[in-house]
Amino acid sequence: MTELFEVQHAIERLPAGQQLAVAEWLQELLDARARADRVEEPRSTYQIARASFMSVEEFLKFEEASPVKHEYINGAIHAMTGASRMHNEVTFNLASALRAHLRGGPCKVYLMDLKLHPQLDSDEIFYYPDVMVDCRPGERGDCFLRTPKLVVEVLAPSTQMIDRREKALTYRAVESIEEYVIAAQDEPKLIVHDRATRWSQRVWEGMDAVAELRSIGLTLPLQQIYGDVIG
Amino acid sequence: MEPEFVPLTPGEYLERELRSPFKHEYVDGAIYAMSGASRRHNLIAARLVYRASEAATKRANCQVFGSDMRVRVEARNCYYYPDLSACCDPTDRDDLYVLRPCFIVEVSSFSTAAIDRREKRIAYLCLDSLREYAIVDQDRLRVEVYRREGTEWRGVLLNRPEDVLVSTCLGMHVALGQLYDGVEFPPGVAEPEPCAYSLDSASFLESS
């Protein structure tokens, strides 16, 4: 295999995950050469990454080996960034309150690292919600959930428009989801989208407010979520 | 008692929108105000609308719109204002929105990139009439094109001045060198998240 087109053909036949590995290897090679040549101009990884869309199977394999988490939307993957301290504290407090309330029953609480792969008519999607409550033990897969009852996203500056727009739209299309809770990270504020009221939104604001999560029968003082986060 | 927000119907949205001094996008009951954009955004968008309109004059029934025209995505219950939309269907002539566009472009900035690449890609690619959806980066020479091939969508990355952005329904061909001519990029803008999928510029250029 010395001709360029032969190499290209061989790479084209590889699964997307391996194509990416080839691209990354090549990038490193070029970067090393650029450093040696003292070329200052920045170059970008995506210029040489050549692959078609990833299938669901390819994505799951790719994700297992990836050091960074990605969300998957119809063949395309989107890297996720790390979160702030406040984001982490709010998420943890919320999950703890849910767990304390649901302990002993069939419902379980899942946190940040588990994928949601909902059954949708036209879209193949994998998200990593901040918190999920799942009450159908029979439908839990090993590496993702399909039928959560409640989903929580804690807003961060870089992802809040995704959480408020795209994910609200997606979660409404997931039949099992009864409530979608959006939590602010830097002020005591919960917004609850409720299927039972045709997705009207209830907003609880302030340290003294007490939110109600109808789908799991939980009364939740915001003090409990934000009291030790916002000084 | 906590405040409650009841979703707007599409009819209520359109009625409000006609009276509103600001544009809003409508996403299944909720509305989001749109902000103004930079000089380079407008330069790129204006040039694209010009080139697309020029191409449309040679095609029967094709109309090209700038960012003041709504595109309605029925399957998602959304109304968006893309930077460019084109429609070649003579039965699609509602005064307020395009229902069956064949070409859509979003000129993308750091603040809109996630919506353009995620939410709007899901929505626009639901449109049976659409042939190409292009996301034009305002901060670097880079265009992501999603292009219908039979029943499949294919992603293509254009990032060289000689790469050509094509609209099949309009018969428009614009080289990126022309599209970005005279556009000054800001220094030190963070690289976008690399896309690990879709970058088949060679085959795209051959077949277009």
Side-chain angles (χ1 to χ4, degrees):
Chain A
M1 280 210 315
T2 49
E3 294 292 333
L4 180 60
F5 76 90
E6 288 178 312
V7 177
Q8 284 171 337
H9 274 286
I11 294 172
E12 270 171 19
R13 285 196 294 272
L14 290 174
Q18 291 181 22
Q19 287 176 330
L20 191 68
V22 173
E24 282 170 357
W25 168 78
L26 194 54
Q27 185 67 55
E28 276 171 29
L29 196 74
L30 290 172
D31 284 349
R33 194 168 298 166
R35 279 193 297 274
D37 293 345
R38 293 171 187 256
V39 173
E40 297 297 328
E41 203 171 308
R43 55 182 84 227
S44 46
T45 0
Y46 50 79
Q47 288 189 357
I48 45 154
R50 281 176 184 272
S52 49
F53 286 132
M54 268 190 204
S55 69
V56 166
E57 293 72 30
E58 284 166 343
F59 167 67
L60 288 174
K61 208 174 285 176
F62 169 81
E63 194 66 357
E64 212 175 4
S66 170
V68 183
K69 289 193 287 185
H70 299 83
E71 296 193 318
Y72 174 95
I73 301 172
N74 296 335
I77 60 170
H78 301 276
M80 298 183 73
T81 51
S84 69
R85 176 182 59 82
M86 271 159 114
H87 184 278
N88 202 278
E89 289 176 4
V90 170
T91 306
F92 204 90
N93 286 349
L94 264 162
S96 305
L98 293 172
R99 182 170 153 81
H101 175 67
L102 295 167
R103 216 161 179 181
C107 300
K108 281 194 172 176
V109 182
Y110 297 90
L111 198 56
M112 300 214 260
D113 275 342
L114 189 67
K115 289 184 272 293
L116 167 65
H117 179 39
Q119 198 112 44
L120 297 169
D121 289 341
S122 50
D123 299 305
E124 289 286 359
I125 286 175
F126 287 87
Y127 289 152
Y128 286 93
D130 288 324
V131 183
M132 287 188 280
V133 173
D134 184 275
C135 303
R136 301 188 194 173
E139 304 197 36
R140 287 174 198 150
D142 280 340
C143 67
F144 53 81
L145 293 182
R146 304 205 75 136
T147 55
K149 188 174 201 171
L150 180 140
V151 177
V152 182
E153 296 286 2
V154 180
L155 297 181
S158 65
T159 53
Q160 61 158 330
M161 289 318 275
I162 295 172
D163 292 337
R164 291 173 58 200
R165 299 176 52 144
E166 176 196 322
K167 292 193 174 176
L169 201 48
T170 303
Y171 292 150
R172 272 175 232 173
V174 180
E175 277 173 31
S176 63
I177 295 179
E178 291 186 27
E179 281 177 302
Y180 171 34
V181 180
I182 296 179
Q185 70 167 10
D186 49 3
E187 55 173 333
K189 185 173 180 180
L190 294 183
I191 302 166
V192 180
H193 296 237
D194 189 350
R195 180 183 294 279
T197 51
R198 299 170 68 191
W199 299 115
S200 70
Q201 299 169 27
R202 280 164 293 145
V203 182
W204 282 279
E205 235 175 329
M207 217 50 110
D208 300 331
V210 179
E212 272 175 53
L213 301 183
R214 181 200 51 81
S215 66
I216 53 168
L218 173 63
T219 305
L220 187 60
L222 268 58
Q223 176 71 34
Q224 198 179 333
I225 308 303
Y226 293 98
D228 60 353
V229 180
I230 300 162
Chain B
M1 190 65 195
E2 75 282 0
E4 178 155 332
F5 295 100
V6 178
L8 292 177
T9 66
E12 289 165 343
Y13 159 70
L14 286 175
E15 194 188 313
R16 283 193 187 196
E17 197 64 359
L18 292 176
R19 288 186 281 113
S20 168
F22 307 107
K23 290 193 288 184
H24 301 81
E25 293 190 315
Y26 173 87
V27 182
D28 195 21
I31 59 170
Y32 299 94
M34 301 184 71
S35 53
S38 66
R39 171 178 288 259
R40 57 188 183 284
H41 177 106
N42 282 290
L43 202 55
I44 296 166
R47 189 164 294 152
L48 258 172
V49 170
Y50 171 73
R51 293 295 299 265
S53 304
E54 197 179 39
T57 58
K58 295 173 190 126
R59 301 261 161 148
N61 300 321
C62 287
Q63 298 183 334
V64 172
F65 306 101
S67 57
D68 279 345
M69 187 58 167
R70 293 164 209 89
V71 165
R72 176 180 180 186
V73 185
E74 272 183 306
R76 307 265 297 172
N77 192 27
C78 291
Y79 287 83
Y80 296 124
Y81 287 94
D83 291 304
L84 181 151
S85 57
C87 167
C88 298
D89 181 341
T91 65
D92 180 15
R93 290 292 186 260
D94 192 285
D95 198 36
L96 297 181
Y97 53 81
V98 179
L99 195 55
R100 288 185 287 277
C102 55
F103 182 51
I104 292 177
V105 182
E106 293 285 1
V107 179
S108 184
S109 65
F110 183 74
S111 66
T112 64
I115 290 174
D116 295 337
R117 299 176 70 196
R118 300 178 52 133
E119 176 193 323
K120 292 188 178 176
R121 188 173 75 93
I122 301 177
Y124 292 149
L125 270 49
C126 292
L127 297 164
D128 289 337
S129 55
L130 196 71
R131 314 317 297 174
E132 289 99 9
Y133 169 41
I135 301 171
V136 177
D137 195 327
Q138 66 163 31
D139 295 329
R140 58 185 68 68
L141 191 127
R142 183 181 192 280
V143 179
E144 253 175 70
V145 183
Y146 297 94
R147 177 168 184 254
R148 188 188 292 277
E149 285 183 2
T151 55
E152 298 279 292
W153 284 93
R154 188 177 190 89
V156 177
L157 183 70
L158 311 177
N159 56 10
R160 295 168 301 188
E162 64 271 25
D163 288 346
V164 178
L165 173 61
V166 177
S167 162
T168 327
C169 62
L170 295 173
M172 179 196 79
H173 295 71
V174 187
L176 266 53
Q178 298 171 307
L179 181 58
Y180 285 96
D181 186 34
V183 174
E184 287 175 30
F185 297 127
V189 175
E191 283 297 314
E193 139 198 352
C195 55
Y197 54 93
S198 89
L199 301 139
D200 207 354
S201 43
S203 77
F204 179 69
L205 293 171
E206 271 165 35
S207 55
S208 58

